[in-house]
């Protein structure tokens, strides 16, 4: 065991204590007026009810998959391979199954933590905003940090424990192959959590806005709107629970992939540090992020984003130091430090790129706002154009980082080190993951705080504070998506290599020495993979549309059934709408619509692989490799389009609402103008792209990797 | 020379005579009232002025490229290769250059023919519609057929002549390599023609609609709108000239690629029929299409689409017979007949798929129309979803046809015959190309006839006839795009193989035996290729937006400068707007905006290939192969999304205008309702997708193939 390894358990324990202290700090704060507390409780009930049903559904599917995995992996592992691995066929099967279930459970837990802490922080942030900005920022960030740190600690501890439980100490070259199920479990749950939550939140948002703002003409988050609680619940189950599960699985899957890549160097050097290195780097990343968070102190007068950025750059700086220490003590190879540095640099560059495309200071958002002057059609056309264009920066960041990290890896002279270099880069990038996740959860917390204050009838002064925070939250959410996207891109290559290593491990007599896309079946596999990304996007956004239409019907029904909801005869005693009914309908419709898009990327690669496996002369394992690679390329670019395009549309609308758009004569084109209405259409179109399909695509990309890793025995013809 | 080869020159001559007879028949028909003739003349002037300027611009770029090609190919061909080819280095250079220029010239000529005949037919179709439907259909179809047949004959004759001019008789295994420049020239011009025309037509359309219909509240094609002539001109330069150039280059490039693939079998069998086979098949396709066209007789009472479909199925049936005859006499291998049959079947299936996604009888269009009830945002969301979903059918048709054609090819037992099987399938599919192109040009002719009748103040009875024809035209246009897309997909594999064959021909010592996407530089190349497709789409639709904004400014300026244009004091003598100014502005802006997106796919692969060529250890030729393959995959799927999504949006609007949408109470939601306004937004968003970016993507895909074929010496490190 390398001497430095103690930091891993230490980081795990300290992070949990840190998160507990933050949680106590947040929970001890006042919850505001009884009215606010009541609203907070209703949101909590709704979110819990949704997660409970969602997890019940997911658990059913997970149980089936666990059995399938056990049978497939157990039966298809040949006796020779079992001897090679040193575990019986049955043993390999159940171990993979159990790892899947543990990964799935931890992912679910991560989502629940994300939701729970966020809901509890919302109302406290709302109350803090009634005092001052600094305190509101502190509450929102600490609330976000609780889930950010708990989730990443859970991933670190989970991978470490299952690695050693499966004999990592005595057989470090075998254990990573046995724990691949953990990554698959994590991404399986993450996909459904992100999809289900994303459908819920955007359907509720779109539905509430269309009937409330557009048809009935009442403001956003108005308590007369029956869908308003569903909308607030949505932020918590979509953005918090969904993103929590997303980044949990990112860290877990990429960690395991990197460990598999380390085996090659271990076999040569017999130094277990090559396999444990990813855990060590992440431990240092925990500490760096913790210190960064503690440095965030918003000043009353400044843009809260600046305070968050300061903390982030401190975390980045410390991560570089931590990377150097880990590389020095564990690997003693400075080329690999440079590879890791590429990942950290990528996480800095993506910030500027995301800001360029989604902030109203720059040309892209301005061009969308300007296009709104000629109506919704030109707004949408320009937004599509901006969204497509963002793929240029995304592809360049990923492409250049990959090429350099690979080159540094090759220079290191280690066995199979080009791909290992990209793995180190990915680990470098993921060091600040806890910090980024904290910033991300900051977004929905302030969004909800804003909503709670609106519903509780807080004054304009308070709204101004939460409005400011809400705008910052939009930016942090966009940043996290950029971060998740680029890290998925960087990780792509390590995950491909892990898949190829695993195939070669399983069929040593017939190694896959190329993924030849010029073979007809491989080309067709690549074509189908690209198509799966389009089809998944189609179904995900259609699910939002269908669910939203259910909500719209229900809200219209309530308005018709009791006109006093909208126009009370006695304004002191308005008739309250039936929030629970709207929440219930959204929950049921959202979960139903989640199934088809969720199963597509799970079953798609398996069906393709199995069909090609039974056609003589075709190399199904190679086809699946191409599915993974081209699916990843198209998935990342599509996510770039959707996330950034959606963010740009959103902020073009905000820009007009802020009075920054003017006509030829210099007159301000603000709220309620033709241009503003056009921008609202663009924002609504962007919603399901940026909050449902886009973030789900990150998970889809990783799911393609983990599912092919786990299911690889299925695609290999026994030699 | 195989005995059957006489059909090729025969088909060329007979087709030209056939087209001339049709042209005389159309041109001899009456042009209607003097007013109509005058409008027709104005449109002709505008279209000719645009093409003249466009061709001047393109010619400049083409001249530069021709020189670059000559130098690159001449200098980079090693002396040993020159000996191998039997022509001096210089000779190879200038021959490729000249082939490029001839291809470019023919492509330009094809576009001009398409435009000229269409413009002359418009006004005659408008006049015929004042008599009856049958005659209007006849004029529109015959007008379309003139360009359809002339363009495909030009391609057949062009390829044949240049093949023999470059020594095809004595050295049939060398000549196809010398004529690759012809294909590149054709696709180079086609890309700019399609892009420039597409930008022009949609910018004029969107601009005219936004200021005319939305702001000023006047009907479509109203003579008071200064942009109305630009709009009519656009149909001719975009749909007719652009699509003509597109299909000219498709048939030429794919023909040449198939000839290169035939070399392998020729070298074994010494039978030149393997190389000439593609020409023979296409000759029979000409005859089949000719007979099909002659069978179209629309009945006054029936849907004109049925008449067109009857003719198409006759052409399909005769093509199958022709394929059997050609295979029997030239190759004598029935497996290859089955391969060709796959292509013909694909061209039948795509009809049903396109109709399913773009006709209001089926669910997709209905769902968009329904989503319009809740406004433009939900209309757009549903349209995006439908568009993305169409990739499923597109990928399956292409994937299954490719796999089967390849398998039939392999069974034939011929050298390298898997890929040759896909080439035969492509040739099979392209047999009906003249017919499809005739149907396609039918669309803009009827569209223009409709506009001319509106401007000339024809009565509602006449408008009803042209309206009906216009709707049929929308469907035929969508069908052609589906056809072009699937044929590009089928051709993909033959073009890849031609590229690989050519690389191996140029570096015999170091054959490319796989395109290994698991190599880092190859993966990054694939990522960049996918990005180029997104970026190209971004720039193409942004170009429409920018050009449209210029038109909008000009129309607003004219309305402000002379209020009597809109509201004449003396209705008998209205002030005519300055149509010429609007045409001129559109022309200039459209051509300026065409440059950036046009150069992107030309320079992109070259820059990527050259950069990677100079990095030691990288295989640039393999990177470029991946650029070609993944660019093709993403390009085709993106085109499927854009073409079909745009068509669905268009017909959802038409469905509402036809009164087919009802609310819960059963009341019709027709023109001018909230739902209709929402559908108009969707239609406008779909316009640049389906008529600018989408069709240009077909050309882009082929251009990637021809440019990499011609430029391949650039990517090969001298061994």
């Amino acid at each position: 065991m390398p001497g430095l390894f103690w930091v891993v358990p230490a980081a795990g324990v300290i992070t949990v204590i840190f998160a507990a202290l933050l949680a106590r700090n947040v929970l001890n704060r006042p919850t505001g007026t009884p009215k606010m507390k009541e609203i907070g409780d209703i949101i909590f009930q709704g979110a819990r009810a949704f997660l409970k049903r969602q997890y019940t559904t997911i658990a059913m599917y997970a149980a089936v998959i666990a059995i399938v995995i056990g049978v497939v992996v157990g039966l298809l592992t040949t006796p020779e391979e079992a001897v090679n691995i040193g575990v019986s066929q049955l043993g390999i099967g159940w171990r993979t199954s159990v790892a899947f279930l543990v990964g799935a459970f931890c992912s679910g837990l991560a989502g629940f933590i994300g939701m729970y802490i966020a809901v509890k922080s919302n109302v406290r942030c709302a109350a803090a905003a009634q005092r001052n900005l600094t305190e509101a920022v502190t509450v929102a960030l600490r609330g976000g940090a609780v889930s950010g740190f708990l989730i990443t600690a859970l991933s670190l501890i989970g991978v470490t424990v299952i690695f050693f439980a499966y004999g990592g100490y005595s057989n470090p070259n075998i254990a990573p192959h046995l724990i691949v199920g953990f990554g698959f479990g994590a991404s399986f749950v993450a996909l459904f959590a992100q999809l289900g939550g994303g459908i819920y939140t955007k359907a509720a948002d779109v539905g509430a806005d269309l009937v409330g703002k557009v048809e009935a003409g009442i403001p956003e988050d108005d308590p007369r709107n029956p869908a308003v609680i569903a909308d607030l619940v949505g932020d918590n189950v979509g953005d918090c629970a969904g993103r929590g599960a997303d980044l949990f699985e990112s860290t877990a899957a990429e960690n395991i992939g990197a460990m598999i890549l380390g085996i090659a160097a271990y076999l040569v050097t017999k130094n277990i540090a090559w396999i444990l290195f990813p855990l060590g780097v992440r431990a240092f990343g925990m500490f760096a992020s913790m210190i960064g968070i503690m440095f965030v102190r918003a000043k009353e007068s400044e843009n809260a984003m600046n305070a968050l950025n300061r903390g982030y750059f401190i975390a980045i700086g410390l991560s570089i130091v931590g990377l150097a220490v880990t590389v020095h003590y564990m690997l003693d190879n400075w080329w690999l430090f440079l590879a890791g540095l590429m990942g950290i640099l990528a996480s800095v560059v993506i910030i500027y790129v995301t800001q360029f495309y989604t902030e109203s200071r720059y040309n892209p958002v301005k061009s969308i706002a300007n296009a709104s002057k000629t109506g919704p059609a030109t707004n949408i056309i320009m937004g599509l154009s901006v969204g497509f264009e963002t793929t240029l920066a995304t592809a360049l960041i990923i492409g250049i980082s990959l090429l350099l990290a690979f080159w540094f890896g090759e220079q290191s002279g280690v066995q199979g080190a080009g791909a290992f270099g990209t793995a180190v880069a990915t680990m470098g990038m993921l060091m600040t993951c806890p910090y980024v996740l904290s910033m991300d959860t900051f977004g929905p917390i302030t969004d909800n705080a804003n909503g709670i204050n609106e519903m509780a009838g807080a004054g304009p002064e308070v709204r101004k504070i939460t409005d400011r925070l809400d705008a910052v939250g939009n930016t942090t959410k966009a940043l996290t998506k950029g971060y998740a996207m680029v890290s998925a891109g960087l990780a792509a290559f390590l995950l491909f290599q892990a898949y190829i290593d695993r195939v070669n491990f399983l069929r040593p007599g017939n190694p896959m020495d190329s993924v030849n896309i010029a073979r007809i079946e491989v080309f067709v596999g690549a074509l189908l993979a690209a198509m799966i990304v389009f089809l998944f996007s189609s179904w995900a956004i259609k699910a939002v549309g269908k669910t939203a239409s259910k909500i719209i019907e229900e809200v219209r029904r309530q308005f018709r059934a009791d006109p006093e909801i909208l126009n009370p005869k006695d304004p002191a005693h308005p008739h309250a709408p039936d929030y629970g009914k709207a929440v219930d309908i959204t929950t049921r419709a959202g979960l139903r619509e989640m199934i088809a898009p969720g199963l597509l990327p799970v079953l798609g690669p398996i069906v393709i692989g199995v069909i090609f496996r039974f056609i003589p002369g075709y190399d199904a394992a190679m086809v699946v490799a191409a599915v993974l690679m081209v699916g990843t390329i198209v998935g990342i670019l599509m996510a770039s389009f959707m996330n950034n395009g959606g963010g740009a549309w959103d902020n073009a609308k905000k820009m007009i609402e802020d009075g920054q758009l003017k006509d030829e004569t210099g007159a301000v084109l603000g709220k309620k103008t033709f241009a503003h209405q056009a921008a609202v259409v663009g924002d609504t179109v962007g919603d399901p792209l940026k909050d449902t399909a886009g973030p789900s695509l990150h998970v889809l990309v990783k799911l393609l990797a983990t599912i092919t890793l786990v299911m690889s025995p299925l695609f290999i013809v026994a030699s």
Side-chain angles (χ1 to χ4, degrees), chain A:
Chain A
M1 196 63 48
L4 197 71
F5 191 73
W6 58 264
V7 298
V8 176
V13 173
I14 292 174
T15 307
V16 172
I17 295 173
F18 177 73
L21 290 175
L22 285 180
R24 204 180 58 174
N25 177 291
V26 170
L27 294 176
N28 276 344
R29 288 170 192 254
T31 55
T33 63
K35 175 84 184 162
M36 288 166 66
K37 188 171 174 341
E38 186 198 324
I39 296 168
D41 286 345
I42 298 177
I43 295 174
F44 178 63
Q45 303 302 334
R48 202 176 56 181
F50 175 76
L51 283 194
K52 198 176 151 191
R53 285 212 209 168
Q54 188 185 34
Y55 285 168
T56 311
T57 311
I58 297 175
M60 269 166 26
Y61 284 94
V64 174
I65 301 247
I67 295 169
V68 171
I69 290 176
V71 172
V72 165
V73 176
L75 285 185
L76 292 184
T77 308
T78 62
E80 301 82 52
E81 286 155 10
V83 171
N84 198 355
I85 294 177
V87 180
S88 72
Q89 288 162 273
L90 185 69
I92 297 171
W94 76 251
R95 276 182 180 79
T96 310
S97 255
V98 168
F100 172 84
L101 288 173
V102 173
F105 176 78
C106 289
S107 178
L109 187 59
F112 186 80
I113 292 170
M115 179 285 291
Y116 184 87
I117 306 289
V119 173
K120 294 295 173 186
S121 309
N122 298 334
V123 62
R124 289 167 176 85
C125 176
Q130 301 194 338
R131 293 188 294 276
N132 58 56
L133 177 88
T134 309
E135 204 181 325
V137 170
T138 305
V139 173
L141 186 64
R142 290 194 180 166
V146 174
S147 51
F149 282 86
L150 271 186
I151 287 169
T152 42
L154 191 63
S155 148
L156 183 65
I157 295 170
V159 173
T160 309
V161 166
I162 200 156
F163 175 77
F164 285 106
Y166 280 6
Y169 188 74
S170 46
N171 286 311
N173 56 326
I174 299 296
H177 287 285
L178 294 174
I179 67 174
V180 289
F182 186 86
F184 179 32
S187 40
F188 181 80
V189 172
L191 182 72
F192 281 94
Q194 183 72 66
L195 252 182
I199 294 170
Y200 187 109
T201 180
K202 285 305 125 176
D205 191 359
V206 170
D209 280 6
L210 284 178
V211 212
K213 279 206 275 196
V214 181
E215 289 185 20
I218 55 180
E220 194 163 338
D221 296 332
D222 190 289
R224 287 171 291 178
N225 191 331
V228 68
I229 293 286
D231 187 8
L232 293 173
V233 167
D235 294 335
N236 295 292
V237 300
D239 294 343
C240 300
R243 199 65 39 75
D246 176 357
L247 285 176
F248 172 81
E249 80 83 20
S250 286
T251 50
E254 291 161 12
N255 205 326
I256 293 171
M259 290 169 92
I260 290 183
L261 291 203
I263 295 175
Y266 164 80
L267 289 176
V268 175
T269 61
K270 294 295 169 199
N271 179 0
I272 194 176
W274 289 96
I275 294 173
L276 297 179
F277 172 76
L279 298 169
V281 170
R282 285 187 48 214
F284 277 100
M286 292 285 193
F287 293 125
S289 300
M290 243 178 260
I291 297 170
I293 286 282
M294 290 193 291
F295 266 91
V296 178
R297 290 272 178 284
K299 299 192 193 84
E300 202 62 31
S301 55
E302 76 173 342
N303 184 339
M305 195 64 222
N306 294 343
L308 294 179
N309 275 341
R310 274 199 303 276
Y312 187 51
F313 280 102
I314 289 171
I316 290 274
L318 292 173
S319 292
I320 295 177
V321 175
L323 178 72
V325 171
T326 331
V327 168
H328 178 67
Y329 281 101
M330 293 185 89
L331 309 181
D332 194 21
N333 190 318
W334 289 99
W335 288 110
L336 294 175
F337 168 72
L338 292 177
L341 200 58
M342 293 315 307
I344 297 180
L345 281 183
S347 64
V348 175
V349 175
I350 189 67
I351 292 193
Y352 291 101
V353 169
T354 310
Q355 291 187 346
F356 175 73
Y357 277 111
T358 59
E359 288 197 356
S360 58
R361 287 181 282 164
Y362 304 102
N363 222 17
V365 171
K366 279 186 192 159
S367 69
I368 298 176
N370 266 320
S372 310
K373 290 178 190 168
T374 38
T378 38
N379 168 292
I380 301 286
I381 290 173
M382 193 52 83
L384 288 175
S385 171
V386 166
F388 286 148
E389 192 178 286
T390 65
T391 58
L392 172 64
T394 304
L396 286 181
I397 295 177
I398 294 173
I400 294 173
S401 314
L402 274 182
L403 287 176
L404 287 175
F406 194 92
W407 190 77
F408 289 133
E410 279 183 322
Q411 301 311 307
S412 75
V414 178
Q415 188 71 20
F420 194 75
T422 70
V424 177
T426 310
M427 291 299 125
M429 178 152 191
L430 286 178
M431 287 180 84
T432 49
C433 186
Y435 191 96
V436 172
L437 193 48
S438 309
M439 280 212 291
D440 182 59
T441 311
F442 178 93
I445 290 176
T446 53
D447 190 1
N448 258 257
N450 202 353
I452 291 172
N453 273 334
E454 170 81 24
M455 283 197 71
E461 274 310 299
V462 176
R463 289 280 316 209
K464 207 180 235 170
I465 286 182
T466 49
D467 259 346
R468 271 170 68 188
L469 290 186
D470 193 14
V472 172
N474 272 334
T475 305
T476 61
K477 274 159 64 182
L479 287 180
T480 316
K481 285 175 211 154
Y483 179 87
M485 215 160 60
V486 170
S487 72
L490 276 187
F493 213 74
L494 90 91
L495 293 168
F496 304 159
Q497 198 57 51
Y499 170 77
I500 294 174
D501 282 6
R502 193 163 150 71
V503 168
N504 292 344
F505 176 80
L506 292 175
R507 59 171 202 202
N510 176 19
M512 174 154 51
D513 50 9
S514 85
V515 178
N516 182 6
I517 196 176
R519 286 177 67 133
I520 186 93
E521 79 272 25
V522 179
F523 177 74
V524 171
L527 174 69
L528 294 177
M531 178 274 285
I532 285 177
V533 170
F534 280 87
L535 190 59
F536 176 84
S537 306
S538 163
W539 288 358
I541 59 186
K542 189 185 282 174
V544 174
K546 279 192 185 173
T547 309
S549 72
K550 296 277 174 231
I551 302 165
I552 291 171
E553 280 167 23
E554 169 62 17
V555 173
R556 283 181 182 159
R557 189 196 60 75
Q558 290 199 24
F559 283 160
R560 268 201 308 270
D562 183 358
E564 283 205 49
I565 294 176
L566 267 180
N567 303 303
K569 282 178 194 148
D570 173 7
H573 297 93
H575 288 194
D578 185 350
Y579 300 127
K581 192 78 191 288
V583 168
D584 192 53
I585 283 174
T586 319
T587 301
R588 270 187 291 135
L591 291 181
R592 193 173 50 240
E593 299 300 333
M594 153 187 97
I595 304 302
L599 288 181
L600 176 67
V602 176
L603 298 182
I606 296 181
V607 169
I608 293 171
V610 169
I611 289 177
F612 281 110
R613 177 179 194 266
F614 286 103
I615 300 179
Y618 287 175
D619 185 343
M622 195 188 283
V623 171
V624 171
V627 167
L628 175 54
M629 291 173 185
V630 175
T632 298
I633 288 175
V634 181
I636 287 174
L637 296 183
M638 189 69 108
S640 174
F641 153 55
M642 293 186 161
N643 292 338
N644 292 318
W649 266 312
D650 192 344
N651 282 337
K653 182 197 71 172
K654 283 215 158 57
M655 182 181 155
I656 294 178
E657 290 175 348
D658 288 352
Q660 294 180 53
L661 185 71
K662 302 195 171 115
D663 67 9
E664 302 113 271
T665 65
V668 168
L669 294 168
K671 276 194 182 181
K672 309 267 172 191
T673 58
F674 181 64
H676 180 241
Q677 284 166 349
V680 168
V681 171
D683 178 37
T684 311
V685 169
D687 269 348
L689 303 185
K690 78 177 196 300
D691 288 322
T692 311
S696 302
L697 280 170
H698 312 154
V699 190
L700 176 143
V701 164
K702 255 86 57 76
L703 181 80
L704 287 178
T706 55
I707 197 172
T708 48
L709 262 178
V710 171
M711 290 300 193
S712 45
L714 253 187
F715 316 129
I716 295 172
V717 182
S719 48

